Amino acid sequence: MIAVPGVDRRIYQHPILDFKWRGRKIKFYFEGKEVIGYEGESIAAALYANGIEIWSLSKKYNRPRGPFCMIGKCSSCFCTVDGRPNVRICIEPVKEGIHVQRQKGLPDIPTTWKTAEEEEILETDILIIGGGPAGLSAALKASEYDVNIILVDEHFKLGGQLKKQTHKFFGSKELFGGLRGFQIAEKLTEEIKKRKNIRVLTQTTAYGLFRGNWVGLASYNKLYRVKAKCIIVATGAHENYLAFPGNDLIGVMGAGGAQTLMNEYGILPGKNVVVVGSGNVGLIVSYQLLQAGANVKCIVEILPHIGGWFVHAAKVRRYGIPIYVKHTVKEAIGKERVEKVIITQVDEKFQPIPGTEKEIECDLLLLAVGLTPDIRFLAQAGCKMKWNSALGGFVALRTRYLETTVPGVFVAGDASKIEEATTAMIEGQIAALSAVIKIKGPIEKAVKEREELLKFLEEYRKSPVLRRTREGLKEVVIE
Ligand SMILES: Cc1cc2nc3c(=O)[nH]c(=O)nc-3n(C[C@H](O)[C@H](O)[C@H](O)COP(=O)(O)OP(=O)(O)OC[C@H]3O[C@@H](n4cnc5c(N)ncnc54)[C@H](O)[C@@H]3O)c2cc1C
Ligand code: FES
């Protein structure tokens, strides 16, 4: 299947989103056929909107690969763009006239292949990796202290996961209370643009920390070597996968991937949906799917109780969506893409109970089964890591000032543990102040501000819903 004639998955009416951001029409080519996207869309989003959902083939069995994470964290969207192999098209913008080709596995790249035309050597006080709420807040806070900052993000847009959040935030004006996530992303990004001491590099991946505090960055046509006095790692998290037959069919997607399509790009990820996982992300995405016009057939939860907050569960229950607790997905079935799913009841040991299977027709199976901190950069940098299931997996040991065991390398946001956007912003600010203090000494204002933020964070985490984080942090915060 290449283009699907007459398919238009774009949403044109929505109770919250107005899609005014859709820019001019852009013509590009997929496997030689003309496709129309809009300025501001990723290549992947534009393809999916047009019904083109097979983006690559697995190397051994030729299994089709399509959208899963939509934020550059898996590998299912690797394509060749204008001859450039292994481009993650979910974080690459559509551009006029580009030629996109499917890949079969990872192509062999000749050792003589020129990856970048230029190399630039940079020096900076603070390098921030990741332009989500943690990284943006870190950059803004640090910039108040007369230091130079480089902020890199591999996506073509700043904002991280805030861009897909349509709910209003709680709390005071300082915490952006009353604003929706995507509005906060816009506000922070606008503010970043005004600061003269912040240099922003988008579509640029930080790939490693080397001897002498040199960091390697790569964009599609340029390499950077950056010498930074301090580094703040705010690389976020990636979605968890689940093992069951058919889990690689097109239409089996991360819940966050579906949120990106629907809330960030205004594209309906599917019409009849089964959601696996009743944590907050599963409940929120179910409600957002209803808002976007999809039919959520059910939510499947392996635990004997709903995982997310009562307020979110009540919302989806009001719309009559069944939540099957003590159930799991047994198999996804379909020829080229998912057509139905078999769910089954489980016993106390989470084993399927034969004879309890239910078959549900659907075109989208969403996995909302948790997040894992993206610690790849931290691990490569040599930071000491510790497993902590309450925090989402392996995380870096850090001081209360968020410095890891590698001096001058700080961590903030989901990369430090799975939590939420408000705490990510506060952590970003704390890490920034710690970096400033490390570079400039204990400036009174910075020390005072940092203590206030730490106190605030401690109070904020007293909320019963953050109990697990609170407990987990006791295991990884070092002297
Ligand atoms: C898939 C997903 C769905 C979520 N849904 C919700 C929700 O519905 N409601 C809710 O309240 N919270 C949600 N959250 C949680 C909340 O959004 C996060 O807690 C918050 O965004 C964390 O902020 P952050 O800045 O740490 O990370 P992120 O917002 O994830 O930002 C990380 C940034 O780092 C960039 N990056 C990563 N690696 C590199 C690299 N090597 N080089 C350069 N750039 C890099 C990424 O492109 C990204 O922009 C979700 C989180 C995820 C991951
Ligand atoms: S990396 Fe693009 S869909 Fe996951």
Side-chain angles (χ1 to χ4, degrees):
M1 184 188 355
I2 301 223
V4 184
V7 172
D8 182 4
R9 287 173 169 157
R10 290 196 176 85
I11 303 164
Y12 293 96
Q13 274 192 325
H14 192 281
I16 293 167
L17 306 168
D18 60 16
F19 313 119
K20 281 194 187 132
W21 52 262
R22 263 183 204 139
R24 67 185 175 93
K25 282 188 178 171
I26 285 181
K27 195 201 290 178
F28 68 105
Y29 301 90
F30 182 74
E31 300 272 291
K33 299 235 164 78
E34 195 179 298
V35 183
I36 299 295
Y38 285 89
E39 201 169 36
E41 288 180 342
S42 65
I43 298 174
L47 292 176
Y48 198 78
N50 285 280
I52 303 167
E53 50 188 22
I54 300 174
W55 301 338
S56 61
L57 297 170
S58 72
K59 196 166 177 100
K60 198 164 173 191
Y61 296 114
N62 275 333
R63 304 267 300 173
R65 296 280 175 261
F68 181 75
C69 75
M70 296 299 285
I71 53 168
K73 303 276 190 188
C74 67
S75 56
S76 65
C77 71
F78 276 10
C79 279
T80 299
V81 177
D82 284 342
R84 196 161 38 104
N86 302 335
V87 177
R88 286 167 290 174
I89 58 167
C90 65
I91 55 171
E92 186 82 7
V94 276
K95 285 191 193 135
E96 195 69 46
I98 52 170
H99 286 263
V100 184
Q101 296 286 140
R102 277 192 190 125
Q103 276 185 202
K104 188 173 175 323
L106 296 177
D108 293 330
I109 301 172
T111 46
T112 50
W113 199 66
K114 210 166 165 237
T115 49
E117 280 143 30
E118 273 186 67
E119 187 184 48
E120 195 176 335
I121 310 246
L122 302 170
E123 285 202 20
T124 188
D125 292 315
I126 303 177
L127 172 69
I128 300 172
I129 304 167
L136 292 174
S137 304
L140 289 173
K141 182 48 72 192
S143 79
E144 293 169 17
Y145 285 87
D146 192 28
V147 284
N148 290 320
I149 299 141
I150 294 177
L151 172 68
V152 291
D153 200 297
E154 53 189 8
H155 202 287
F156 66 101
K157 283 192 257 180
L158 294 177
Q161 311 323 311
L162 278 176
K163 302 194 291 280
K164 58 165 68 113
Q165 291 177 28
T166 53
H167 64 280
K168 284 189 180 164
F169 276 53
F170 302 120
S172 62
K173 212 167 147 237
E174 291 74 44
L175 293 177
F176 303 104
L179 286 184
R180 300 184 191 279
F182 65 89
Q183 293 170 324
I184 301 174
E186 284 163 14
K187 227 176 150 64
L188 292 173
T189 306
E190 278 311 304
E191 200 49 48
I192 291 273
K193 282 186 199 154
K194 291 184 202 156
R195 306 286 171 103
K196 299 258 183 306
N197 54 347
I198 305 177
R199 176 169 177 187
V200 178
L201 300 171
T202 48
Q203 286 182 268
T204 304
T205 302
Y207 61 85
L209 176 77
F210 304 99
R211 245 187 311 230
N213 255 10
W214 284 96
V215 177
L217 308 179
S219 77
Y220 71 96
N221 62 352
K222 200 165 177 178
L223 293 174
Y224 299 87
R225 267 190 279 164
V226 186
K227 175 105 177 156
K229 289 183 187 145
C230 285
I231 298 149
I232 298 175
V233 181
T235 46
H238 53 82
E239 290 193 86
N240 294 341
Y241 218 69
L242 211 54
F244 55 86
N247 68 353
D248 69 338
L249 284 172
I250 303 282
V252 179
M253 210 185 280
Q259 281 185 315
T260 300
L261 278 169
M262 134 178 105
N263 300 342
E264 196 175 331
Y265 295 113
I267 293 161
L268 197 63
K271 287 187 181 147
N272 292 300
V273 192
V274 171
V275 177
V276 186
S278 72
N280 282 328
V281 172
L283 296 172
I284 291 171
V285 79
S286 299
Y287 184 66
Q288 292 171 344
L289 280 159
L290 294 176
Q291 287 181 315
N295 172 23
V296 181
K297 294 224 161 166
C298 64
I299 301 174
V300 180
E301 169 60 62
I302 198 162
L303 293 175
H305 54 82
I306 294 169
W309 299 353
F310 174 77
V311 55
H312 298 312
K315 257 186 186 173
V316 298
R317 278 241 160 96
R318 250 195 326 269
Y319 283 89
I321 300 175
I323 305 179
Y324 297 120
V325 292
K326 293 193 196 165
H327 275 75
T328 191
V329 53
K330 190 176 172 210
E331 189 173 356
I333 298 170
K335 210 163 155 247
E336 253 190 356
R337 67 176 338 284
V338 65
E339 289 162 24
K340 57 187 172 187
V341 53
I342 296 175
I343 64 167
T344 175
Q345 216 175 313
V346 295
D347 61 22
E348 314 73 60
K349 291 185 178 146
F350 305 119
Q351 295 307 306
I353 304 176
T356 60
E357 293 86 358
K358 289 186 195 59
E359 200 176 281
I360 304 169
E361 285 188 11
C362 63
D363 61 355
L364 186 65
L365 176 61
L366 291 189
L367 305 185
V369 290
L371 302 167
T372 299
D374 186 343
I375 47 124
R376 289 170 294 178
F377 189 89
L378 293 159
Q380 187 280 329
C383 303
K384 276 202 185 127
M385 314 299 288
K386 190 171 179 183
W387 175 266
N388 191 295
S389 55
L391 304 180
F394 277 105
V395 292
L397 297 178
R398 82 299 298 267
T399 65
R400 69 190 286 262
Y401 302 125
L402 300 176
E403 188 166 14
T404 66
T405 52
V406 175
V409 176
F410 297 82
V411 63
D414 275 1
S416 76
K417 38 85 211 80
I418 301 303
E419 209 172 9
E420 40 100 292
T422 301
T423 52
M425 289 189 269
I426 301 170
E427 279 200 342
Q429 295 183 40
I430 293 171
L433 290 164
S434 299
V436 167
I437 291 165
K438 184 135 192 139
I439 295 165
K440 297 193 145 205
I443 306 165
E444 199 184 327
K445 183 170 169 261
V447 172
K448 188 164 169 265
E449 244 194 301
R450 185 173 66 173
E451 279 315 306
E452 282 165 5
L453 285 165
L454 282 164
K455 209 160 155 226
F456 179 83
L457 197 53
E458 203 184 324
E459 283 302 311
Y460 191 90
R461 285 189 176 136
K462 282 188 180 156
S463 156
V465 295
L466 295 177
R467 184 186 54 82
R468 262 172 70 77
T469 317
R470 211 165 50 230
E471 295 297 317
L473 283 172
K474 285 185 194 153
E475 307 290 318
V476 299
V477 176
I478 51 174
E479 287 302 308

